[in-house]
Amino acid sequence: MELLQLQYFQTVAKLEHMSKAAEALNIAQPSLSKTISRLESSIGVPLFDRHGRNIRLNAFGKAFLQRVERIFRELEEGKREVLDMAGLNRGSITLAASITSVLPELLGDFLTANPNVHIRQFLEPTAEMRRMMENGEIDLCISTAPVEGPDMAWLPLRTEEIFVIVHERHRLAGQESVKLTDLKEEPFIGLRPGYWFRTLTDELCIGAGFVPKTMIELDEADAVVLLLRKGLGIAFVPQLAWEKRAAFMPNRLRIADPPGCVVTTGLVWSKKHYMSVAAQRFRQFIIDYFQRIESE
DNA sequence: TTGCTGTCCGGCTTATATCC
DNA sequence: GGATATAAGCCGGACAGCAA
């Protein structure tokens, strides 16, 4: 069994189309067909169900694909580890963050100190972040969701109040605090379902006796700020996010009832996947950054 | 017409045998 | 032990045939 065969299998399995896979791999379709057949022969069972000219990954193929993907991930991690050992890896970090308000400062400061590091950032719903973390597709995750598991490390960074932000012409503008029940008829702007902060704030409202009317659902927390300024609704915002955008949303209300409307932001990483030296440095940088914020 | 499989062939790699 | 020759096996392209 060869890595080339596994690479070809992975492509055919993903596309479930021999010709398209051959095109993607830059080889002739018959060659690909033969390579897959040889792989199936060497394993001893078919990996695809053939119906006429259609091919579909079967149960054997699905199980095998998971292993193949793990092999390629292991190889990639091995490469990173060896490059780190040799001091040749300039560093790449893949980060998922469900809070974007601190990213400009966090990334800016880190990249100033580590200009050769390449960072990729994802913004994904909680379940997707968990999946990516388990698969080793991301190194670190700054999350308000308690992403826990036997192979996950979760370090709480900061617990903070949740504020309600209203437009300057809103009936509640100028008040210091509000009861959640006073907001049951209000139109909300929020993250779409699937994001933990949305789940948390929905649960707070349900606990107060109403289902929030979320009229606008978004993926981007920063887009919430823009719509708030247009007066299109009100929104829940964590304290730190408000502090970073206070000039754009001055009318913040404390939630007086129920008490204890807080959210905890934490740092998540996988204990089973290799973490590059650059990612380890960034992890410590994030921890230091939040400790600095806490002490200010 | 489109898409897959099978056959044939040339090129390449690897294993084995032989020679120096 | 190292260099060279040979055989076997695999890969990939071209082409033909078959099925939907």
Side-chain angles (χ1 to χ4, degrees):
Chain A
M1 198 178 293
E2 310 251 339
L3 275 179
L4 190 67
Q5 290 178 324
L6 300 183
Q7 187 196 344
Y8 286 5
F9 164 72
Q10 199 181 24
T11 304
V12 176
K14 280 181 180 165
L15 297 175
E16 292 190 320
H17 196 286
M18 205 63 92
S19 297
K20 287 178 184 168
E23 192 182 341
L25 292 163
N26 268 326
I27 60 169
Q29 182 271 319
S31 301
L32 179 61
S33 182
K34 270 195 305 183
T35 303
I36 296 299
S37 294
R38 272 194 296 270
L39 177 64
E40 290 177 316
S41 297
S42 72
I43 293 171
V45 294
L47 301 171
F48 295 92
D49 289 334
R50 276 107 171 147
H51 302 289
R53 55 188 182 186
N54 297 316
I55 58 167
R56 286 281 176 274
L57 203 60
N58 62 22
F60 299 130
K62 284 175 184 168
F64 191 62
L65 178 63
Q66 287 187 2
R67 298 285 181 177
V68 169
E69 291 187 328
R70 209 160 90 189
I71 287 165
F72 282 114
R73 280 198 300 273
E74 280 287 326
L75 284 172
E76 188 55 35
E77 285 180 26
K79 186 176 156 191
R80 288 171 66 187
E81 187 172 355
V82 169
L83 286 173
D84 273 344
M85 286 168 69
L88 299 175
N89 196 359
R90 290 164 63 196
S92 66
I93 301 165
T94 311
L95 169 74
S98 61
I99 55 162
T100 55
S101 54
V102 296
L103 282 182
E105 197 174 316
L106 197 56
L107 297 181
D109 290 355
F110 183 76
L111 288 172
T112 301
N114 302 272
N116 290 327
V117 173
H118 174 249
I119 296 180
R120 280 196 305 157
Q121 188 247 315
F122 292 92
L123 178 67
E124 300 289 351
T126 308
E128 179 62 8
M129 283 204 300
R130 171 184 282 277
R131 187 197 66 76
M132 292 174 81
M133 182 62 79
E134 283 174 349
N135 288 341
E137 294 170 34
I138 49 178
D139 297 309
L140 295 163
C141 174
I142 303 173
S143 173
T144 52
V147 184
E148 290 176 292
D151 297 319
M152 300 281 188
W154 156 261
L155 178 70
L157 295 167
R158 175 185 168 93
T159 297
E160 59 190 346
E161 258 189 277
I162 298 172
F163 294 145
V164 174
I165 309 297
V166 301
H167 187 260
E168 59 189 355
R169 292 189 299 276
H170 192 272
R171 64 182 176 89
L172 297 170
Q175 281 191 208
E176 174 56 27
S177 61
V178 67
K179 290 181 179 176
L180 267 191
T181 49
D182 292 341
L183 306 175
K184 61 183 176 187
E185 298 302 327
E186 295 287 340
F188 278 89
I189 305 166
L191 295 172
R192 69 179 167 88
Y195 289 93
W196 173 251
F197 188 69
R198 168 69 188 273
T199 305
L200 179 68
T201 52
D202 278 0
E203 285 174 357
L204 286 173
C205 292
I206 290 166
F210 70 98
V211 175
K213 295 175 182 171
T214 307
M215 309 306 283
I216 305 173
E217 295 176 333
L218 304 155
D219 275 305
E220 264 286 340
D222 281 345
V224 174
V225 177
L226 293 173
L227 294 174
L228 274 170
R229 295 184 71 191
K230 293 281 184 187
L232 298 174
I234 68 173
F236 291 110
V237 174
Q239 182 182 352
L240 186 59
W242 173 76
E243 285 172 1
K244 297 292 176 190
R245 303 278 191 278
F248 303 109
M249 40 186 180
N251 297 289
R252 69 126 175 85
L253 310 173
R254 288 208 142 85
I255 301 171
D257 185 59
C261 290
V262 295
V263 60
T264 298
T265 299
L267 184 60
V268 188
W269 65 90
S270 169
K271 290 189 273 191
K272 68 176 179 181
H273 293 291
Y274 174 74
M275 187 184 287
S276 68
V277 172
Q280 290 176 45
R281 276 208 305 268
F282 190 48
R283 178 178 58 187
Q284 190 57 49
F285 189 88
I286 294 168
I287 294 168
D288 293 344
Y289 175 85
F290 275 90
Q291 280 178 350
R292 206 165 56 241
I293 289 177
E294 285 293 281
S295 62
E296 280 173 358

